[in-house]
């Protein structure tokens, strides 16, 4: 059934139907129409979850995700290992302030690697310098763990290349257990 096109006089003359709440229909003793169900069907929910998962994978695949996350975790770990309160650090001087500034730069670089992947080379170089600088300024780089996270993450971000074809996860095996030939010929 085709209705009048929007903006035509026939649409203006058509009576407008007010939406009826399901509770009001239940009190009136009428059944709601088939298309106006309030509950979401499990298939629709599964479809929404699948779309969200595909969107997340697409977003994650267009940026150096694991490199940015490791730099972010490295900077956060170094920040959490610092125990002195900020007024004491400011009283000690610039060396104490650098203990907070270097991991904050690492966290900022991790976020910028994630949300601005076009400038990943600059941010990853800055992150590796901050990670190595944390050895001197922040409890041996967060007891080595934060520094290692920062260095590994910035190396991953530096080496990431955009617009690469997706890799195959599993090699197919034929029935004899040998690896099958790659159909792409690579």
């Amino acid at each position: 059934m085709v209705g009048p096109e929007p903006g035509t006089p026939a649409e203006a003359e058509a009576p407008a139907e007010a939406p009826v709440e399901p509770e009001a229909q239940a009190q009136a003793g009428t059944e709601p129409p088939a298309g106006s169900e309030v509950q979401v069907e499990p298939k629709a929910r599964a479809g929404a979850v699948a779309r969200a998962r595909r969107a997340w994978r697409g977003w994650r695949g267009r940026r150096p995700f694991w490199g940015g996350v490791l730099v972010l975790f490295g900077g956060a770990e170094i920040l959490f290992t610092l125990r002195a309160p900020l007024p004491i650090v400011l009283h000690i001087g610039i060396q104490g302030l650098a203990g907070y500034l270097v991991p904050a730069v690492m966290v900022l670089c991790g976020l910028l690697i994630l949300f601005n992947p076009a400038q990943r080379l600059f941010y990853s170089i800055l992150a590796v310098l901050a990670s190595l600088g944390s050895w001197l300024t922040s409890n041996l780089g967060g007891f080595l763990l934060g520094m290692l996270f920062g260095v590994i993450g910035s190396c991953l971000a530096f080496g990431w290349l955009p617009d690469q074809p997706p890799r195959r996860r599993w090699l197919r095996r034929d029935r004899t257990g040998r690896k099958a030939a790659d159909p792409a010929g690579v």
Side-chain angles (χ1 to χ4, degrees):
M1 189 165 144
V2 178
E5 291 189 3
T8 60
E11 182 186 76
E13 295 172 8
E17 294 181 13
V20 180
E21 297 295 324
E23 294 83 18
Q25 288 179 348
Q27 291 174 354
T30 61
E31 290 289 323
S36 67
E37 293 156 356
V38 176
Q39 295 180 351
V40 178
E41 294 180 22
K43 286 185 178 180
R45 193 174 320 142
V49 169
R51 279 192 307 275
R53 178 177 271 171
R54 279 194 306 269
W56 169 250
R57 283 185 180 173
W59 182 85
R60 195 179 68 191
R62 290 187 304 268
R63 59 200 71 246
F65 181 75
W66 292 113
V69 166
L70 283 176
V71 171
L72 181 70
F73 282 160
E77 195 272 334
I78 294 171
L79 277 174
F80 289 133
T81 58
L82 295 175
R83 293 289 186 183
L86 191 59
I88 294 175
V89 170
L90 291 177
H91 181 69
I92 292 172
I94 193 68
Q95 184 66 22
L97 184 61
Y100 284 102
L101 186 63
V102 169
V105 167
M106 286 177 63
V107 168
L108 182 65
C109 284
L111 289 172
L112 288 172
I113 286 170
L114 286 175
F115 294 111
N116 190 7
Q119 301 297 323
R120 72 189 183 286
L121 298 176
F122 174 72
Y123 298 139
S124 63
I125 290 172
L126 189 61
V128 79
L129 291 176
S131 297
L132 294 175
S134 71
W135 174 265
L136 300 174
T137 62
S138 307
N139 293 333
L140 297 176
F143 303 114
L144 294 179
L145 193 60
M147 184 184 74
L148 287 176
F149 278 158
V151 169
I152 291 170
S154 58
C155 289
L156 285 174
F158 189 84
W160 179 79
L161 294 174
D163 302 329
Q164 293 293 312
R167 291 182 296 177
R168 300 179 79 165
R169 264 195 189 170
W170 308 103
L171 290 175
R172 294 186 183 188
R173 296 185 181 267
D174 62 4
R175 292 180 191 240
T176 61
R178 295 180 307 197
K179 290 182 183 176
D182 188 15
V186 177

